[in-house]
Amino acid sequence: MKGSTEAPEIADRLATRAADRARPRTRLPAWVGRPGTRGWVWLLSVLCLGLTGVLFAVTGSAIAQTRDGLDVIGRDEGPKVVATADLYFALSDMDAQMANVLLMGSDHSLGDGRDAALVRYEQRRSDATDALLHAAQLAEGDATDEENVRAVIEDMSRYENLVAQARLLSDEAGLPAGSQPEEVVRLYRRAGELMRRDLLPKAYNLTLDSGATVRSTYQENSSAASVRMALVAGAATALLAALLALQYFLRTRFRRRYNIPLAAATAGVLVLGLGAIGMLEQQAVLLRTAKADGLDSVLALSRARAISTGMNADQSRWLMDPGRADIYEQNFLEDAQMVLFLVPDDDGVPGDLEEYTAEVAEAVPDHTAYPGRLLGLLGQEIHAGGVEGREQAQRRALRDYSAYLHADQRMRGRAEEEGAGAAIDARMAGEESVADHFDRYERSLVQLTALHTNTFETAVADARAGLRGWDAILPGACLGFAALVVLGVRPRLAEYR
């Protein structure tokens, strides 16, 4: 059979061609390959709708990230910083009040009296317990912070046991002010060392942990704020360009001068973009205010108050425990320099308490004219500007701090000239006593801290108010833009049916 060997190949080719013709084919619209007027309308419309989705996603992400940063500073870690700062002060004041109680001995009427000191001790003990409970709640889920809180609770229990024993032995001895049995001094010395070396550092570590989270969150938000605004601006600009291109195309091809839906969409995108960028910029400013002028200052001043309270306790220890008077005086100077560190113009930093007191007196009358620099926890808060009344509060705090240091020098001078009894009177009795000047100084610090606390709370509240409503505005606006695009091109596309 001639040619029979080629017949199968021919049959296969014919069968393949028949199968190809029978197989259904998916065809793209004719305008995709060579878009005419209708194709360009479709392409530009789809581009506008896609860019609307991009604008929604970018702006929504920026708002969510801004809200997260605000929650960390205004609701989570920020309040924890304040709570742990309160704990630091409460512990320090507990120790100061117990030092006063033991210094009084059997002379219960000295100063505000033994009963008042014990009431304040119990009040600070309650404050410390509340602050610990608050810190424990905020630390839940963080193993390190939870362990730190437990350590503070255990050390606080040990401290209370030591001072309770010292107080009981002091009551049994019934000795006059400034005279305590050696065992009382030894027990309170152990309690004071526990407070200074363990309790207060651990309490401050809680503050540092929360403060580190606040700082990192703030830095991340600050560095990302400009990027977020740039992304929102870029997305809005791209959408505006696409809308303008679509309107131009419709105008030239269809001889329609205006397209009201597309013009409305263009105006809406412009308003939304500018509004979102302005809101994000304002959020960055408010976050900076809450952190720098609010929380940082509250933390610095709260610690200055706590350290000053420790200085107050060191004065009582200096009088009650002469064997370690030099150590307590050096502790007082070191704490004073943490509160306000002065660097004279000749860099001759005061080397002892008397020189330091004189240098502070020189800086106080007009700190703006002081030729040196004011550093330390209080010094870094002394600057111009800020909320109304802050500069007056700063000057008052400096003035009262200087007066407190001068009262301390008078007390030490009377101890050398007239003995411990006269020094105790200078420490606790009368309107011009050390205790009286300390109360005035402490009130000044509290008032200055309250101004910064109000700045923090106001900035956080304003930031929350600025974010309110955007969860509804953003999706509503973007859906509206999409609807307007459809309304704007639908009549033109209908002409091709």
Side-chain angles (χ1 to χ4, degrees):
M1 293 177 60
K2 187 177 180 179
S4 60
T5 56
E6 296 180 359
E9 296 177 4
I10 295 172
D12 288 342
R13 286 197 297 271
L14 292 173
T16 300
R17 291 173 183 172
D20 289 342
R21 287 193 297 270
R23 185 181 298 118
R25 294 184 179 181
T26 302
R27 294 179 178 272
L28 293 173
W31 53 265
V32 172
R34 295 186 299 274
T37 299
R38 182 188 181 196
W40 279 111
V41 172
W42 271 106
L43 285 173
L44 289 172
S45 299
V46 170
L47 178 62
C48 289
L49 293 175
L51 289 174
T52 299
V54 171
L55 178 62
F56 171 76
V58 168
T59 306
S61 175
I63 292 172
Q65 292 172 8
T66 300
R67 183 179 285 113
D68 289 344
L70 178 62
D71 286 342
V72 168
I73 292 178
R75 186 188 65 191
D76 300 330
E77 297 300 327
K80 190 192 293 187
V81 169
V82 176
T84 51
D86 291 342
L87 170 63
Y88 192 98
F89 166 71
L91 291 172
S92 187
D93 201 34
M94 278 176 60
D95 193 42
Q97 297 309 315
M98 184 52 61
N100 289 339
V101 168
L102 295 177
L103 179 63
M104 291 179 196
S106 60
D107 296 337
H108 294 179
S109 61
L110 279 173
D112 292 333
R114 173 190 169 97
D115 291 341
L118 288 174
V119 167
R120 184 160 176 173
Y121 173 85
E122 291 299 328
Q123 179 185 347
R124 296 309 180 205
R125 179 177 176 276
S126 177
D127 292 344
T129 301
D130 291 343
L132 276 171
L133 290 174
H134 190 194
Q137 292 171 353
L138 293 170
E140 189 174 356
D142 187 318
T144 302
D145 282 353
E146 288 177 349
E147 180 61 31
N148 286 339
V149 171
R150 282 193 293 270
V152 173
I153 292 173
E154 292 171 2
D155 285 347
M156 184 174 167
S157 178
R158 290 170 54 204
Y159 173 84
E160 290 184 72
N161 287 334
L162 288 170
V163 297
Q165 294 177 54
R167 180 179 156 195
L168 179 62
L169 291 175
S170 174
D171 291 345
E172 290 176 352
L175 296 178
S179 302
Q180 289 291 357
E182 183 61 30
E183 181 63 13
V184 172
V185 174
R186 186 185 66 81
L187 285 169
Y188 182 66
R189 187 182 293 168
R190 287 176 56 195
E193 290 176 351
L194 176 63
M195 177 66 72
R196 187 178 183 89
R197 296 180 181 178
D198 290 323
L199 255 175
L200 291 177
K202 288 175 182 176
Y204 188 58
N205 283 340
L206 289 174
T207 305
L208 288 178
D209 291 341
S210 300
T213 303
V214 169
R215 280 192 299 275
S216 63
T217 301
Y218 171 73
Q219 289 169 357
E220 289 172 5
N221 275 270
S222 296
S223 59
S226 57
V227 175
R228 293 172 194 153
M229 287 186 282
L231 289 174
V232 171
T237 301
L239 180 52
L240 284 171
L243 286 168
L244 291 172
L246 178 56
Q247 291 176 78
Y248 178 78
F249 183 81
L250 293 177
R251 180 178 179 181
T252 56
R253 292 299 179 93
F254 291 90
R255 301 294 189 268
R256 299 291 195 278
R257 178 168 296 182
Y258 301 111
N259 189 306
I260 294 178
L262 292 179
T266 303
V269 170
L270 182 62
V271 171
L272 179 70
L274 291 176
I277 293 170
M279 179 272 294
L280 292 173
E281 184 176 9
Q282 182 65 14
Q283 288 292 314
V285 171
L286 290 171
L287 197 65
R288 181 168 59 251
T289 300
K291 163 76 168 50
D293 293 338
L295 203 57
D296 286 352
S297 295
V298 169
L299 179 58
L301 292 170
S302 296
R303 191 164 181 235
R305 183 188 180 196
I307 290 173
S308 299
T309 302
M311 293 165 58
N312 199 31
D314 279 329
Q315 291 171 326
S316 294
R317 296 188 190 102
W318 184 80
L319 292 167
M320 184 174 56
D321 187 3
R324 302 186 68 181
D326 290 343
I327 294 175
Y328 297 132
E329 183 172 340
Q330 183 61 32
N331 289 344
F332 184 94
L333 175 59
E334 291 174 359
D335 287 347
Q337 290 178 325
M338 289 180 67
V339 173
L340 182 63
F341 189 84
L342 298 175
V343 182
D345 55 348
D346 59 358
D347 292 331
V349 177
D352 59 37
L353 190 53
E354 185 176 356
E355 291 179 1
Y356 174 78
T357 301
E359 191 69 28
V360 171
E362 180 183 345
V364 162
D366 183 6
H367 63 270
T368 59
Y370 178 63
R373 289 177 293 159
L374 276 65
L375 305 174
L377 295 167
L378 180 57
Q380 68 186 11
E381 297 303 319
I382 305 300
H383 52 79
V387 297
E388 183 180 356
R390 191 172 77 174
E391 291 188 41
Q392 294 89 332
Q394 291 170 352
R395 286 194 292 270
R396 184 164 54 249
L398 281 176
R399 184 176 64 247
D400 290 341
Y401 179 66
S402 179
Y404 168 60
L405 292 176
H406 274 290
D408 172 80
Q409 285 295 292
R410 287 196 299 271
M411 177 196 74
R412 297 178 194 274
R414 291 191 66 179
E416 292 179 3
E417 296 172 4
E418 305 174 45
I424 291 173
D425 285 340
R427 166 80 176 83
M428 307 189 75
E431 290 187 2
E432 293 300 316
S433 65
V434 174
D436 179 62
H437 281 288
F438 180 79
D439 287 343
R440 297 180 198 174
Y441 163 58
E442 186 179 39
R443 284 195 298 270
S444 298
L445 279 182
V446 169
Q447 291 170 1
L448 184 56
T449 305
L451 290 174
H452 289 284
T453 301
N454 184 65
T455 298
F456 170 72
E457 293 174 348
T458 301
V460 170
D462 289 346
R464 292 193 187 285
L467 288 171
R468 194 174 299 125
W470 277 93
D471 288 340
I473 292 172
L474 181 61
C478 290
L479 286 174
F481 301 154
L484 288 170
V485 170
V486 172
L487 286 174
V489 301
R490 187 171 180 274
R492 307 287 76 82
L493 293 173
E495 297 176 10
Y496 287 87
R497 291 179 183 174

